[in-house]
Amino acid sequence: MEYVAVILPSLVVGLIFWFAMKAIFNADKAERQAEARAQAEADSLPAQPSDGPRPDSQ
């Protein structure tokens, strides 16, 4: 039983680390997917003319 008491803290810390890293990687993946969707949406929109004066019109 003393072996369990010795290894249990390391296992708990390892599990906490694993869950934290999993959450970080999942958040990163979701952020990359959202950025890809936003970029695809921006690329699919037609170019809007600017409101400012044209440099070639005088």
Side-chain angles (χ1 to χ4, degrees), residues 14 26 43 51:
N26 284 341
D43 290 343
D51 291 335

Side-chain angles (χ1 to χ4, degrees), residues 5-22:
V6 170
I7 201 156
L8 190 61
S10 296
L11 287 176
V12 170
V13 169
L15 283 173
I16 290 171
F17 178 76
W18 182 77
F19 280 117
M21 293 305 293
K22 183 178 176 184

Side-chain angles (χ1 to χ4, degrees), residues 19-43:
F19 280 117
M21 293 305 293
K22 183 178 176 184
I24 290 170
F25 284 127
N26 284 341
D28 180 58
K29 182 173 75 170
E31 183 179 354
R32 284 186 280 121
Q33 288 173 345
E35 188 173 340
R37 281 192 305 269
Q39 187 64 38
E41 182 180 333
D43 290 343

Side-chain angles (χ1 to χ4, degrees), residues 49-55 57:
S50 63
D51 291 335
R54 289 185 180 174
S57 64

